[in-house]
Amino acid sequence: MRYLMGVDGGGSKTYTVITDEYGNKVGEGLSGRGNHQVEGIQFAMKNIKESIDIALATAGLQYEDISFTQFWTRRS
């Protein structure tokens, strides 16, 4: 099975979703701001990692199970 992950790091929150190869959502994670232009790179990276880790945990997956990841950051 292949798993895909999308990470939206915005100015107000970071949302990560993981789907299987058929588009079924298997995990998701929510954390604080993920846009480096708002709070700085260290703060953004901490929130992005937290959101990813939550999504992986809810899906019962590890980093190495993900076949493809798409990142998007923007201001809110």
Side-chain angles (χ1 to χ4, degrees):
M1 179 74 65
R2 290 184 176 189
Y3 296 98
L4 312 170
M5 179 166 52
V7 182
D8 179 1
S12 62
K13 67 182 177 296
T14 300
Y15 179 66
T16 299
V17 65
I18 300 173
T19 67
D20 65 18
E21 60 191 279
Y22 302 106
N24 301 304
K25 183 169 65 171
V26 297
E28 63 184 338
L30 187 64
S31 187
R33 296 178 183 136
N35 186 310
H36 70 283
Q37 295 172 326
V38 177
E39 295 285 343
I41 191 71
Q42 298 295 355
F43 186 82
M45 292 301 294
K46 176 189 139 316
N47 288 330
I48 291 168
K49 182 178 184 323
E50 181 178 66
S51 179
I52 290 170
D53 289 345
I54 293 167
L56 287 168
T58 62
L61 299 172
Q62 302 293 318
Y63 279 90
E64 56 270 11
D65 295 320
I66 304 300
S67 300
F68 178 82
T69 303
Q70 178 69 46
F71 292 92
W72 174 258
T73 61
R74 59 183 165 76
R75 288 187 182 219
S76 58

